[in-house]
């Protein structure tokens, strides 16, 4: 039964319904036709005169009033032929726009829908999204910011990185060169998204549903087509049910380490089996029940990969991935977690001649460029004496953690030296050396203790690393951004690598770290905060994480 005010319209006009869903009107009306019910089509004016006939009947598509009420009408395109289009019930209303952070592309209007829209069921939202995704396939995407490829050598310019590429290594130089791409991507765990919903107040609720987000993330991975993926915030149940199988169908082998405790996400490293074979997989747990300092559930993962190409030596590449603690006030934990990761790399990467194989370290380090933790990674040393615990990561302009870092930061029973290597092997050698060596050590105990106290505030590691990204745009000095949500827009994601001697893109001081190594051929450019807010920050309709993927192309240079 139709409501009374709709029945009164009866006898005044005829609705003609056909397969194309066009409603034709045949007599002039000077005011609004008002429909009660679902708000997206609650009231709209007719912008031009239309004609009514003497009679009308209920259109056959309407059916029961409840079904009619729940259908999703909108005034899509008003034609000069006095017709307007009624889209399918699954199509999204044009008024669905966020209520905050209303930064838009130029020329795009903001017609925000009422707040009640956030209560629409996930099932209805999924229907909206499926249609929106199908529309995007047939037209250029709205609200996208294009990222361009930055090249560092002539060879890379001939490669189409963002398309299905076929690397030609059949020439005479193929036995000495091996080119590959590496991506680092924090894909935003759904559990963490829901636990920190205050960070995504600028987003339409429908864009935060995993059934919408995962196809977008997978599409990004397909499009960028990296040979190695380093993923963070990979939720375990999603990895088990769909992420792993989806990536395996794309030719990847996947290794995964879930966070300890009750945290349901972790880190994954996935590599193309056509490019690499797995030598070893080494998970790293930063939680230690016997050390109060290490009471957090973050993890890391270190893989040793064998390139599939003919070369003079058995070259290998070490790939590490991690997600360090977020808490800006716990720089002591961040540095200790980093030291544990570096110690694992140092135990995996040595070669027979005593040198290290090329190393790539990816991840979300929850530290900004120029911070003490960042400088320690790049410079290989850090004197933390007198350093405030809240200044280690540089996340806060006015850090709240003012407590000074203790000396040493971590206890000796952790088994990691201030040089970020495991001490277990050293202790075993000392035990096997005999009583005479032990006696000699005891005679010099006081001298050794004094020396260690003087050096205890200095951290070191054996890898001289470069960053793929420079963190600022050279033309303007504006910072690059890897994450952008309601609270902040900063760089916290990195790809570090051991540079070869002839790598012109490497930072000064890194080029002498290896006789062989990696040459940076190109990278996918990052964006500014302003760029990202033109598409309403992250996540948005086309980018379904609050982080951008980082992508770099390397060439393996043999010694």
């Amino acid at each position: 039964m139709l409501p009374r005010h709709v029945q009164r319209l009866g006898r005044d006009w005829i609705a003609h319904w056909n397969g194309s869903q066009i409603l034709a009107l045949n007599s002039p009306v000077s005011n609004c036709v008002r429909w009660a019910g679902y708000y997206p089509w609650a009231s709209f004016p007719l912008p031009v005169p239309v004609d009514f006939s003497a009679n009308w009947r209920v259109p056959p598509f309407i059916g029961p009033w409840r079904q009619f009420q729940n259908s999703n009408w909108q005034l899509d395109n008003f034609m000069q032929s006095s017709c307007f289009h009624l889209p399918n019930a699954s199509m999204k209303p044009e008024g669905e726009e966020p209520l905050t952070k209303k930064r838009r592309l130029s020329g795009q209007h903001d017609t925000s829908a009422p707040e009640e829209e956030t209560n629409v069921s996930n099932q209805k939202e999924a229907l909206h999204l499926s249609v929106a995704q199908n529309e995007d396939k047939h037209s250029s995407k709205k609200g996208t910011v294009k990222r361009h490829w930055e090249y560092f050598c002539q060879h890379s310019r001939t490669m189409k990185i963002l398309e299905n590429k076929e690397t030609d290594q059949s020439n005479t130089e193929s036995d000495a060169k091996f080119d590959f791409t590496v991506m680092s991507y924090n894909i935003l765990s759904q559990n963490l998204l829901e636990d920190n919903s205050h960070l995504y107040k600028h987003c339409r609720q429908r864009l935060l549903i995993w059934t919408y987000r995962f196809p977008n993330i997978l599409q990004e991975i397909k499009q960028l087509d990296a040979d190695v993926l380093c993923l963070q915030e990979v939720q375990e149940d999603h990895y088990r049910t769909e992420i792993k199988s989806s990536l395996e169908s794309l030719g990847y082998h996947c290794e995964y380490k879930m966070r300890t405790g009750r945290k349901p996400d972790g880190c994954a490293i996935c590599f193309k089996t056509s490019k690499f074979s797995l030598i070893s997989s080494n998970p790293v747990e930063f939680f230690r029940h016997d050390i109060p300092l290490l009471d957090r559930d973050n993890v890391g993962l270190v893989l040793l990969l064998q390139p599939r190409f003919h070369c003079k030596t058995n070259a290998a590449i070490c790939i590490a991935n991690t997600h360090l603690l977020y808490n800006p006030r716990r720089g002591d934990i961040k540095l200790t977690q980093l030291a544990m990761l570096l110690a694992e790399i140092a135990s995996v990467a040595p070669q027979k001649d005593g040198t290290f194989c090329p190393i790539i370290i990816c991840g979300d380090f929850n530290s900004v460029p120029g911070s003490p933790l960042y400088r320690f990674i790049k410079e290989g040393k850090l004197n933390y004496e007198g350093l405030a615990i809240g200044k280690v990561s540089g996340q806060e302009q006015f850090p709240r953690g003012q407590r000074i870092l203790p000396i040493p930061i971590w206890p000796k029973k952790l088994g990691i030296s201030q040089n970020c290597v495991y001490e277990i092997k050293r202790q075993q050698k000392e035990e096997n050396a005999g009583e005479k060596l032990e006696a000699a050590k005891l005679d010099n105990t006081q001298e050794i203790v004094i020396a260690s106290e003087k050096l205890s505030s200095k951290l070191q590691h054996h890898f001289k690393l470069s960053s793929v990204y420079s963190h600022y745009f050279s033309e303007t000095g504006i910072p690059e951004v890897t994450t952008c949500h309601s609270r902040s827009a900063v760089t916290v994601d990195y790809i570090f690598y051991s540079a070869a001697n002839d790598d012109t893109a490497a930072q000064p001081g890194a080029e002498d770290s290896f006789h062989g190594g990696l040459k940076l051929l190109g990278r996918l450019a990052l964006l500014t905060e302003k760029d990202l807010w033109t598409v309403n920050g992250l996540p948005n309709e086309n980018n379904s994480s609050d982080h951008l993927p980082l992508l770099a192309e390397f060439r393996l240079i043999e010694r």
Side-chain angles (χ1 to χ4, degrees):
M1 178 66 67
L2 295 175
R4 184 175 302 169
H5 68 280
V6 176
Q7 292 179 6
R8 284 199 298 267
L9 293 176
R11 305 191 185 91
D12 291 333
W13 55 295
I14 289 179
H16 175 68
W17 180 254
N18 58 26
S20 63
Q21 295 177 304
I22 301 296
L23 185 62
L25 308 177
N26 297 317
S27 77
V29 167
S30 60
N31 58 358
C32 298
V33 177
R34 185 171 185 85
W35 301 91
Y38 188 49
Y39 63 82
W41 45 274
S43 176
F44 52 83
L46 297 177
V48 299
V50 292
D51 295 330
F52 286 95
S53 65
N55 301 304
W56 92 271
R57 66 180 180 272
V58 178
F61 76 96
I62 292 179
W65 171 248
R66 178 57 55 186
Q67 178 180 349
F68 178 64
Q69 185 183 26
N70 288 335
S71 63
N72 186 13
W73 284 32
Q74 72 183 51
L75 184 58
D76 190 16
N77 293 310
F78 199 94
M79 309 297 294
Q80 292 182 356
S81 59
S82 299
C83 300
F84 62 88
H85 179 249
L86 296 178
N88 289 324
S90 61
M91 188 170 289
K92 63 180 181 179
E94 292 181 355
E96 292 181 2
E97 295 293 342
L99 300 178
T100 59
K101 297 284 184 181
K102 298 179 181 177
R103 309 187 191 186
R104 298 290 185 269
L105 289 171
S106 60
Q108 184 176 356
H109 301 288
D110 180 22
T111 55
S112 299
E115 290 186 13
E116 290 84 0
E117 183 180 351
T118 60
N119 298 322
V120 177
S121 65
N122 288 352
Q123 182 178 3
K124 189 160 190 173
E125 297 290 359
L127 291 174
H128 294 332
L129 302 175
S130 63
V131 174
Q133 288 172 336
N134 289 333
E135 289 176 345
D136 286 343
K137 293 179 181 178
H138 301 288
S139 61
S140 59
K141 291 185 177 180
K142 295 181 180 180
T144 59
V145 177
K146 293 184 178 180
R147 299 172 61 187
H148 64 277
W149 191 259
E150 297 177 330
Y151 302 99
F152 294 99
C153 80
Q154 186 64 34
H155 171 78
S156 292
R157 291 185 173 89
T158 64
M159 299 182 63
K160 297 182 179 179
I161 301 298
L162 300 182
E163 299 176 1
N164 292 328
K165 60 182 183 297
E166 294 182 359
T167 305
D168 182 13
Q169 294 182 343
S170 60
N171 54 30
T172 57
E173 297 181 354
S174 62
D175 59 344
K177 294 179 181 179
F178 178 75
D179 297 346
F180 63 100
T181 53
V182 176
M183 175 195 292
S184 181
Y185 194 9
N186 183 327
I187 64 173
L188 182 56
S189 160
Q190 189 67 21
N191 276 16
L192 291 176
L193 183 155
E194 294 169 2
D195 291 344
N196 298 276
S197 58
H198 61 282
L199 300 179
Y200 312 107
K201 293 180 180 179
H202 62 287
C203 300
R204 286 175 283 181
Q205 291 299 312
R206 67 184 187 86
L207 303 183
L208 302 179
I209 303 171
W210 176 250
T211 54
Y212 178 81
R213 294 179 54 234
F214 178 61
N216 270 358
I217 293 170
L218 187 61
Q219 180 61 32
E220 277 188 296
I221 292 174
K222 287 181 180 179
Q223 182 182 3
L224 297 176
D225 193 28
D227 299 313
V228 180
L229 306 175
C230 291
L231 306 178
Q232 304 89 41
E233 291 193 22
V234 181
Q235 193 163 305
E236 192 275 336
D237 57 336
H238 292 156
Y239 173 79
R240 179 170 27 88
T241 58
E242 50 189 335
I243 296 177
K244 184 174 185 288
S245 59
S246 297
L247 294 180
E248 286 176 343
S249 68
L250 298 177
Y252 291 98
H253 172 84
C254 303
E255 294 289 324
Y256 178 71
K257 174 58 182 175
M258 187 173 71
R259 286 208 279 173
T260 52
R262 298 182 178 180
K263 305 297 184 181
D265 66 285
C267 295
I269 300 180
C270 313
F271 59 89
K272 290 279 187 71
T273 55
S274 60
K275 300 279 285 191
F276 298 96
S277 60
L278 179 64
I279 298 175
S280 66
S281 178
N282 310 273
V284 184
E285 296 182 356
F286 299 146
F287 175 83
R288 289 284 297 268
H289 64 85
D290 58 333
I291 300 177
L293 173 68
L294 297 174
D295 60 349
R296 308 305 167 96
D297 295 311
N298 305 82
V299 296
L301 186 60
V302 181
L303 265 57
L304 195 62
L305 300 180
Q306 177 77 51
R308 292 186 182 275
F309 77 114
H310 300 287
C311 58
K312 299 178 182 178
T313 61
N314 294 325
I317 300 174
C318 181
I319 308 287
N321 183 24
T322 191
H323 188 180
L324 299 185
L325 177 71
Y326 167 76
N327 193 336
R329 290 164 284 178
R330 294 309 304 267
D332 52 346
I333 299 179
K334 293 174 187 277
L335 283 173
T336 306
Q337 290 179 346
L338 177 60
M340 296 172 73
L341 180 71
L342 294 174
E344 185 65 27
I345 295 173
S347 68
V348 170
Q351 301 182 112
K352 294 180 179 179
D353 60 359
T355 63
F356 292 103
C357 69
I359 296 167
I360 297 175
I361 306 177
C362 298
D364 181 344
F365 291 82
N366 277 313
S367 301
V368 303
S371 65
L373 187 143
Y374 173 87
R375 294 201 310 269
F376 173 53
I377 296 174
K378 282 190 58 180
E379 298 173 6
K381 58 184 179 179
L382 174 67
N383 187 348
Y384 61 87
E385 183 176 4
L387 179 61
I389 195 172
K391 293 184 178 180
V392 170
S393 64
Q395 292 166 279
E396 295 181 334
Q397 186 176 2
F398 303 102
R400 291 168 286 175
Q402 297 299 330
R403 181 166 57 92
I404 302 301
L405 285 169
I407 301 176
I409 298 175
W410 57 82
K412 188 173 180 61
K413 65 179 178 179
L414 179 60
I416 296 177
S417 72
Q418 299 293 292
N419 293 328
C420 299
V421 296
Y422 291 127
E423 291 184 319
I424 298 176
K425 294 182 179 180
R426 182 186 302 176
Q427 292 175 356
Q428 291 176 344
K429 291 181 180 180
E430 290 176 354
E431 291 176 358
N432 297 331
E435 294 181 358
K436 292 183 179 180
L437 179 60
E438 291 179 1
K441 288 173 64 180
L442 289 174
D443 292 339
N444 297 322
T445 298
Q446 185 176 1
E447 181 180 351
I448 294 173
V449 169
I450 294 173
S452 64
E453 287 178 351
K454 291 180 179 178
L455 298 175
S456 62
S457 65
K458 295 181 181 180
L459 297 179
Q460 292 181 328
H461 67 75
H462 297 289
F463 321 114
K464 292 184 179 179
L465 302 170
S466 282
S467 172
V468 165
Y469 290 90
S470 55
H471 315 309
Y472 295 90
F473 290 92
S474 57
E475 300 84 0
T476 62
I478 298 175
E480 298 172 336
V481 166
T482 67
T483 181
C484 180
H485 50 65
S486 296
R487 292 290 181 89
S488 66
V490 293
T491 287
V492 293
D493 306 277
Y494 303 93
I495 301 178
F496 297 103
Y497 71 103
S498 51
N501 288 337
D502 61 344
D503 186 4
T504 57
Q507 282 79 11
E511 58 273 3
D512 61 347
S513 57
F514 293 84
H515 296 292
L518 298 170
K519 182 180 180 65
L520 180 62
L521 301 182
R523 66 191 180 196
L524 185 62
L526 289 170
L527 301 170
T528 67
E529 179 182 3
K530 183 178 179 180
D531 291 333
L532 287 172
W533 280 121
T534 63
V535 290
N536 200 40
L538 296 172
N540 56 52
E541 187 169 348
N542 301 305
N543 308 100
S544 288
S545 174
D546 58 349
H547 291 248
L548 292 173
L550 280 60
L551 180 65
E553 183 189 11
F554 297 101
R555 173 172 294 167
L556 176 63
I557 306 297
E558 291 196 82
R559 300 198 312 274

